[in-house]
C-alpha cells in the first residue's frame, strides 16, 4: 500500500534503475559529473570511451538511492499504522485492573458496560457488540498468561442455611402473635416486646445470607429505620389515623379489635412469612439473569430478555404475599386489606432487589420519602386541631372519609413501589447488575 501511494505522488521515480530528470536522486550524479556533463548530455567528448559506463553507473546509483529512500519511508510508516490499527490494546491498558481480575469474558463485558461503553462505542473498536469486544480482551489477557482460563459461570445454588434463615422470621412472628393472644396485661407487653426483638434479629440474619444479602457493604445507612417505621405503621397507623380523624385517640392501643385504636396483626405476620418467597423469587431472578447473560450477544438483547423476567419475579412474589395475607387474615379473623399490604410488600421487595444488586441509593431515598409522607399525614391531622390551622388536615380527612384510613399508606407505598419498579427496569436490565461476584483470593 505504501508503494502504491508513492507512485501517485508527482516527481517520484517510477522504479529502480530509472533516472528521472526531476527526482531528488539526480543531484548526486550531477554534482559528480560537473557542469560540462550537464551542458552537453547528447554526445560524449571525443576520445572519452568511459562516458557510457559513467551513464550506466549514474543510473544504477540513482536506482539504489531511490530504493533506499522508499525502504526507509516504508520502515517508518508501519509502526504508526500498527498503533492506529490496534485500539483494543489502548482500551485494555485503560481497564487493566478489570482485565487482570476477570475470570470470564462476561465479567469484562459487564465492567465495560458499567463504564459507559455501548454497542456504538464497541463499533469504533471494530467489534459488533460489547460481548465480542470483551471476548477479545479476555483472550488476549489469557494468551499473555496474566489470567488463567476458567469455565463459564454457573447459576447460584440454593443452600440449606439461607433456606432455614428465611423461614425463621415467619416462624418467630407466628409464635409471638400466638403468645400475645394467650397472655394479658404486663405479660402480654413482655411477650410482644420479646417477639419484636426476636423477629428483628431473625430478619437481620436472613438479610445477611442468601439471595437477599448484599454483595458489597457500600451505600447509605439507615434504611432499616425507615423499613421499621413502614412495618410499624401497617400495624398501628391505620387505627391511629382513623381514631385521630374522629377525634381520638383516648388512650394507648389495647389490642382489642373493637377498641378506639385497633391493631392490624395480619399484615405484619404475612410480611414476615413472605420473607421465604421473597428469597426464592430473588434467587430465581439472579439465576435466570446470569443464564440470560451467558446466552446474550448484545446489551439490547440482554435487556429485552431480562425485563419480562423482572416483572414476572415481582408478580410472583406479590401472588405469594396475597395468598399468605388471605391465610393470616382468616386465621386471625381480621379484615384483609390487600391493596395496602401488597403496595408495601412490593415496595420492600423491589427496594431489597435493587440493594442486593448494588443499587442502594435510590431505594434508601424512596423509603425515607415514603415514611416521611406517612408521618406527615398523621401529623397534619393532629396539627389541624390547633386554632387557625384546620385547613392542614382537610386533604387527609377527605381522603380517609372517601376511601378509608388505609388509602394513605396505599397511595404512598404504591407510588413509591411504582417509582422503584421503573428505576429497576433500567438498572437491573444492565449486564453489570448480573456480573458474577469476584471470588476471594
Amino acid at each position: 500500500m505504501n508503494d502504491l501511494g508513492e507512485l501517485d505522488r508527482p516527481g517520484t521515480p517510477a522504479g529502480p534503475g530509472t533516472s528521472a530528470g526531476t527526482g531528488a536522486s539526480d543531484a548526486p550524479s550531477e554534482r559528480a559529473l560537473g557542469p560540462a556533463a550537464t551542458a552537453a548530455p547528447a554526445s560524449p567528448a571525443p576520445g572519452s570511451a568511459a562516458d557510457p559506463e559513467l551513464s550506466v553507473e549514474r543510473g544504477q546509483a540513482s536506482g539504489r538511492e531511490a530504493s533506499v529512500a522508499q525502504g526507509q519511508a516504508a520502515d517508518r510508516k508501519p509502526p504508526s499504522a500498527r498503533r492506529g490499527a490496534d485500539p483494543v490494546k489502548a482500551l485494555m491498558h485503560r481497564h487493566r485492573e478489570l482485565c487482570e481480575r476477570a475470570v470470564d469474558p462476561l465479567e469484562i463485558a459487564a465492567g465495560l458496560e458499567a463504564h459507559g461503553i455501548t454497542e456504538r462505542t464497541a463499533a469504533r473498536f471494530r467489534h459488533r457488540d460489547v460481548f465480542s469486544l470483551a471476548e477479545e480482551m479476555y483472550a488476549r489477557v489469557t494468551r499473555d498468561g496474566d489470567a488463567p482460563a476458567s469455565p463459564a459461570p454457573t447459576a447460584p445454588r440454593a443452600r440449606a442455611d439461607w433456606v432455614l434463615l428465611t423461614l425463621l422470621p415467619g416462624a418467630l412472628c407466628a409464635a409471638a402473635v400466638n403468645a400475645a393472644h394467650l397472655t394479658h396485661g404486663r405479660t402480654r407487653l413482655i411477650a410482644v416486646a420479646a417477639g419484636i426483638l426476636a423477629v428483628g434479629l431473625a430478619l437481620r440474619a436472613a438479610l445477611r445470607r442468601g439471595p437477599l444479602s448484599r454483595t458489597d457493604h457500600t451505600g447509605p445507612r439507615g434504611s432499616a429505620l425507615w423499613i421499621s417505621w413502614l412495618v410499624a405503621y401497617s400495624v398501628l397507623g391505620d387505627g391511629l389515623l382513623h381514631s385521630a380523624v374522629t377525634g381520638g385517640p383516648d388512650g394507648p392501643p389495647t389490642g382489642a379489635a373493637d377498641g378506639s385504636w385497633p391493631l392490624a396483626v395480619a399484615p405484619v405476620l404475612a410480611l414476615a412469612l413472605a420473607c421465604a418467597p421473597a428469597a426464592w423469587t430473588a434467587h430465581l431472578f439472579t439465576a435466570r439473569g446470569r443464564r440470560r447473560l451467558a446466552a446474550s450477544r448484545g446489551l439490547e438483547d440482554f435487556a429485552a430478555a431480562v425485563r419480562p423476567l423482572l416483572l414476572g419475579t415481582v408478580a410472583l412474589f406479590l401472588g405469594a404475599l396475597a395468598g399468605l395475607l388471605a391465610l393470616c387474615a382468616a386465621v386471625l379473623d381480621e379484615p384483609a386489606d390487600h391493596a395496602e399490604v401488597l403496595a408495601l410488600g412490593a415496595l420492600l421487595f423491589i427496594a431489597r432487589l435493587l440493594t442486593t444488586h448494588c443499587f442502594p441509593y435510590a431505594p434508601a431515598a424512596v423509603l425515607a420519602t415514603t415514611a416521611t409522607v406517612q408521618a406527615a399525614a398523621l401529623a397534619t391531622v393532629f396539627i389541624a386541631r390547633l386554632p387557625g390551622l384546620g385547613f392542614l388536615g382537610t386533604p387527609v380527612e377527605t381522603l380517609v372519609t372517601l376511601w378509608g384510613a388505609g388509602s394513605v399508606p396505599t397511595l404512598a407505598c404504591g407510588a413509591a413501589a411504582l417509582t422503584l419498579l421503573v428505576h429497576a427496569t433500567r438498572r437491573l436490565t444492565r449486564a453489570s447488575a448480573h456480573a458474577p461476584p469476584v471470588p476471594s483470593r
Side-chain angles (χ1 to χ4, degrees):
M1 295 297 294
N2 294 328
D3 294 337
L4 294 177
E6 295 290 337
L7 291 177
D8 294 335
R9 299 175 185 173
T12 304
T18 304
S19 121
T22 58
S25 60
D26 292 342
S29 300
E30 292 177 359
R31 286 194 299 268
L33 294 178
T38 56
S43 60
S48 58
D51 288 341
E53 297 178 0
L54 290 176
S55 299
V56 174
E57 292 178 358
R58 181 179 63 183
Q60 292 177 351
S62 315
R64 285 194 300 269
E65 290 175 357
S67 301
V68 170
Q70 291 178 0
Q72 292 176 352
D75 290 338
R76 287 193 301 269
K77 289 185 180 180
S80 61
R82 283 194 297 268
R83 286 194 296 269
D86 191 13
V88 180
K89 184 177 182 180
L91 185 65
M92 291 177 62
H93 179 73
R94 190 157 56 246
H95 300 281
R96 180 177 57 185
E97 183 180 355
L98 173 65
C99 296
E100 289 178 351
R101 67 176 175 83
V103 297
D104 189 86
L106 300 178
E107 186 176 349
I108 297 181
L112 295 178
E113 191 264 350
H115 284 83
I117 295 181
T118 61
E119 307 289 346
R120 183 178 300 179
T121 310
R124 295 203 298 266
F125 292 95
R126 302 178 181 178
H127 283 273
R128 63 183 181 275
D129 51 42
V130 179
F131 288 87
S132 176
L133 176 60
E135 287 177 354
E136 179 183 348
M137 295 173 66
Y138 179 77
R140 294 176 66 168
V141 171
T142 304
R143 185 170 60 249
D144 294 337
D146 295 334
S150 62
T154 57
R157 296 179 178 273
R159 294 173 52 183
D161 55 350
W162 66 258
V163 171
L164 295 176
L165 287 176
T166 55
L167 293 173
L168 190 58
L172 292 177
C173 187
V177 171
N178 189 32
H181 279 79
L182 296 177
T183 55
H184 302 278
R186 183 175 298 180
T187 307
R188 171 179 290 180
L189 294 178
I190 296 176
V192 170
I196 293 175
L197 180 61
V199 172
L201 293 177
L203 184 61
R204 182 180 180 183
L207 295 180
R208 287 181 175 270
R209 297 206 177 177
L212 297 178
S213 62
R214 296 179 58 173
T215 56
D216 64 339
H217 299 283
T218 60
R221 303 293 180 181
S223 297
L225 176 63
W226 307 118
I227 295 175
S228 301
W229 166 266
L230 294 174
V231 174
Y233 188 95
S234 66
V235 179
L236 304 169
D238 291 348
L240 177 60
L241 182 60
H242 179 75
S243 179
V245 170
T246 57
D250 298 330
T254 60
D258 55 351
S260 61
W261 187 350
L263 303 181
V265 183
V268 67
L269 179 57
L271 290 173
L273 292 173
C275 183
W280 279 107
T281 51
H283 169 75
L284 178 65
F285 177 72
T286 302
R288 295 291 179 87
R290 290 187 185 177
R291 291 196 187 109
R292 301 287 171 85
L293 180 61
S296 298
R297 298 305 306 166
L299 297 179
E300 295 180 358
D301 296 340
F302 176 73
V306 173
R307 192 173 292 111
L309 176 62
L310 172 63
L311 299 178
T313 301
V314 175
L316 183 61
F317 169 75
L318 293 180
L321 179 59
L324 290 173
L325 178 61
L327 177 62
C328 294
V331 172
L332 298 175
D333 195 17
E334 292 183 3
D337 193 349
H338 285 85
E340 178 182 353
V341 179
L342 291 181
L344 177 59
L347 172 61
L348 297 179
F349 178 70
I350 300 173
R352 192 62 197 179
L353 209 58
L354 283 166
T355 304
T356 300
H357 289 81
C358 304
F359 298 104
Y361 293 96
V366 171
L367 290 173
T369 303
T370 307
T372 304
V373 169
Q374 291 184 355
L378 275 174
T380 54
V381 176
F382 289 101
I383 294 175
R385 297 179 180 180
L386 299 176
L389 298 178
F391 65 94
L392 292 178
T394 302
V396 177
E397 292 176 359
T398 304
L399 194 61
V400 171
T401 303
L402 293 177
W403 294 334
S407 60
V408 173
T410 300
L411 292 177
C413 295
L418 183 60
T419 302
L420 280 186
L421 182 60
V422 173
H423 182 70
T425 56
R426 297 177 55 190
R427 296 297 184 182
L428 298 184
T429 56
R430 299 173 58 179
S432 56
H434 300 268
V438 180
S440 58
R441 296 179 181 177

